[in-house]
Structures are given as C-alpha cells and as structure tokens.
Amino acid sequence: MVRIPDAKVALSTASVYPESTATAFEIAARLGYDGVEVMVWTDPVSQDIEALRRLSDYHQVPILAVHAPCLLITQRVWSTDPWVKLQRARAAAEKLGASTVVVHPPFRWQRNYAKDFVTGIWRMADETDVRFAVENMYPWRYRDREMLAYAPDWDVTNDDYRHFTVDLSHTATARTDSLAMVDRMGDRLAHVHLADGKGSAKDEHLVPGRGDQPCAELLERLARTSFDGHVVIEVNTRRAMSSAEREADLAEALAFTRLHLATSATTPTAPGAPLRASSGRAAPAPAAPDRASSTDPAASSAQAPADPAASSAQGPADPAASSDPAPGPGTRRP
C-alpha cells in the first residue's frame, strides 16, 4: 500500500529564469505540477495580480504561494517600505487564493524593520488566514571572511515565528544540518523550498539529488508525518543550453519529489530511521516547449527579469542606497 501525503508540489516561477513568469505557468501545466509559487520580482507580470489571475485561469494552474519581494534586486518593487511589500504580498495571496506568503528576514542595514520584524510578522499573521512562512537564510562568505547579512538572524529557528519555510539550498550554503533545523521548526514548518547544494559560498539551488543535502530523507519524513503544506521546486536552470534542457531539469525535479513523497504505509517509522519510498508518481517525459501563443493572456507583456537566484547570493548593497523605513505598528502576540 502506498500513502501519498496531501502536500502539493509547486514550481517556483524563479526556476525558469531567464524565461518569464508566463513561461513558468506554461511549463508547470505541461509537466503536471500541482501549482506555482510566484516570485515577485522585476518581471512586470509577477507584480500584476490580474495578469497572474489570467495566467492561472488560462493554464488551469493554481497559485499556491506568493514570495514577497525580499531580494536585493527587488528593493523598489511594490514600494521601498518593507512593511508595505508584505501588505501587498498578503493582499495578492488573498486575491489569488494562495495560502502562503514566503518572506526573508530583513537585511541588517534595515535597522528599524529588523528591530520589530518578529512582532510585526505576528501582528500580520493574526490579521489573515494566509501563512507568513519565514525562510532560513545563510551567512555571506568571501574567501575566509563571513558577514552576517540578516537580522534578527539568518537561522530563523532562533526567533519566534508562527510558520517557517525551510530552503535546502540555503542550509547547504550555511553549512548547517538541515534535518536538525527541520526538527527545531517542528510543526511550525509550513512550506518547503526544495533544491540541493554542495556547501558552496554561492546559493546554488541545484536540482534535487545533484548535491549533498538530504532532499530524499526530508521528503520521506514529510510523508511519514502527513505534511500538508507545499513543496516548491526552486532550482537554478539559467545555465541550461536550451528550453528543452531546462524543462527536462524541471521534470526530473518533479519526478524526484513525487517519488520520495510516496512512502509505504507498512514501512516502520522509528524516529531517525530514514524511510525509502516504495513507489511514486512520475512526471511525464519533457516535451520540447512551445512558444507562448498569441492566445496566452500574458505572453505579450512577459519579459525576462533579472535573475533572482543570483541576486540572493551576492554581497550587500550600499546601505546608504537602501531605505530604512519605519516599521508598521506591531504588538507581540498574547
């Protein structure tokens, strides 16, 4: 007997760079993903709720999560005030039917935002059914030097949040034990960014199975615990030599994920004992991607944005050029 958890497998729109948000919906539909996570970034379509709704309806692919614009390259997307960005991300999630907003901890130079970030996130979480899932990050490294770029901490388990996102590429870059981090998150783990890494100082976002992170073990653990959040494929395909190669990588990532989410209901589930999947749903073989047709509602306005994955791994921007707005009012939960 095979038991498959309720967790849905989504494609991050960042995974198709340098192609567009519109292309991500097209690929997700063709490969059989359960939905998409929209990375809000420099692609105008990613910022336009109505355009996103049309894409979702046209391709029959639901939007499961919205990733707030937290990267260096998105400092001016949806306002320079980080609290306004989160308010707009929440509004987008509510209008699009997404259950989760993914947010990074602040950069250290965003002093006022960082100071009240934990209480502000609790306040916003109390105002909506949308989950604000705060994502683990990593120290920035250059040669033998390390800089702590995030506050209150890159390891979000050191602070009190209602929901977490775990990103296995980030645990690789941080050179931390990802399963131990998941243990610390406990039942507050609401969202997974599935990717792989080899411990490079760069945030690699490899296809699962191509690095040294316990991607399979994590998925099997999620299956055993009936995880009902979302597993999002967030990989870097910008070096693919063709659209067909990119699509093959995304098909492989989907097949890997579904294989390891399927677990035998009769297999022992002793704590700490990795459970190997006995069966799983395979993704269809990748087809050569069609170019968006003239009937695609967003094809005409889609353009290739700046690479969000590369942006998150670069060094700090000039703090003087970055706004340090006053945070929204917030009170700690009772």
Side-chain angles (χ1 to χ4, degrees):
M1 177 179 178
V2 173
R3 179 181 60 206
I4 300 176
D6 293 333
K8 294 182 177 179
V9 183
L11 177 66
S12 169
T13 59
S15 296
V16 306
Y17 178 83
E19 299 194 69
S20 67
T21 300
T23 302
F25 278 86
E26 180 186 343
I27 292 175
R30 185 156 54 241
L31 294 182
Y33 277 84
D34 297 318
V36 300
E37 174 179 300
V38 174
M39 170 72 81
V40 180
W41 50 343
T42 57
D43 182 345
V45 171
S46 75
Q47 305 169 30
D48 186 331
I49 293 174
E50 289 308 313
L52 293 170
R53 193 196 311 276
R54 289 194 298 271
L55 280 167
S56 178
D57 291 344
Y58 177 76
H59 291 289
Q60 293 296 290
V61 174
I63 297 170
L64 303 180
V66 174
H67 196 309
C70 304
L71 306 178
L72 289 175
I73 62 169
T74 59
Q75 290 184 82
R76 297 187 181 279
V77 172
W78 279 0
S79 171
T80 57
D81 183 332
W83 290 112
V84 172
K85 292 174 185 285
L86 295 189
Q87 290 163 1
R88 292 190 64 173
R90 178 187 65 193
E94 290 171 343
K95 292 176 181 177
L96 295 168
S99 64
T100 304
V101 168
V102 179
V103 57
H104 293 180
F107 294 113
R108 295 188 72 86
W109 57 83
Q110 295 174 299
R111 291 180 295 276
N112 289 335
Y113 179 46
K115 180 177 65 176
D116 287 338
F117 182 69
V118 178
T119 54
I121 290 293
W122 271 104
R123 174 186 58 80
M124 296 190 72
D126 285 338
E127 297 171 348
T128 181
D129 291 332
V130 172
R131 295 175 172 181
F132 282 87
V134 186
E135 183 174 1
N136 62 298
M137 297 305 290
Y138 46 84
W140 286 353
R141 294 187 180 90
Y142 179 70
R143 295 181 179 172
D144 295 329
R145 302 182 65 181
E146 183 175 288
M147 187 181 96
L148 300 180
Y150 299 96
D153 204 313
W154 63 263
D155 183 348
V156 293
T157 64
N158 289 329
D159 293 289
D160 180 24
Y161 300 109
R162 181 176 293 172
H163 294 114
F164 292 110
T165 296
V166 68
D167 184 306
L168 268 65
S169 178
H170 294 176
T171 56
T173 304
R175 299 169 190 167
T176 191
D177 185 330
S178 54
L179 293 181
M181 177 173 283
V182 167
D183 285 340
R184 295 194 299 275
M185 291 179 174
D187 60 7
R188 291 182 290 170
L189 175 63
H191 202 68
V192 175
H193 279 172
L194 192 67
D196 217 329
K198 298 179 179 178
S200 166
K202 295 181 179 180
D203 188 15
E204 297 171 288
H205 284 275
L206 304 176
V207 171
R210 298 184 185 179
D212 59 16
Q213 291 300 288
C215 297
E217 289 86 347
L218 173 60
L219 292 169
E220 291 159 1
R221 180 180 296 194
L222 296 179
R224 293 198 304 271
T225 57
S226 300
F227 178 72
D228 63 355
H230 304 318
V231 178
V232 178
I233 303 301
E234 191 183 70
V235 296
N236 184 342
T237 64
R238 69 181 184 272
R239 293 187 178 179
M241 299 302 293
S242 66
S243 294
E245 183 178 331
R246 174 173 297 107
E247 194 161 322
D249 283 347
L250 298 177
E252 178 184 331
L254 177 61
F256 178 100
T257 303
R258 284 188 169 154
L259 171 66
H260 291 286
L261 275 177
T263 178
S264 170
T266 60
T267 303
T269 57
L275 182 64
R276 294 296 164 192
S278 61
S279 180
R281 297 172 292 176
D290 301 324
R291 297 300 88 199
S293 70
S294 59
T295 58
D296 188 333
S300 60
S301 60
Q303 63 183 48
D307 184 356
S311 169
S312 66
Q314 59 184 291
D318 182 358
S322 175
S323 61
D324 186 18
T331 55
R332 188 176 294 274
R333 64 188 174 92

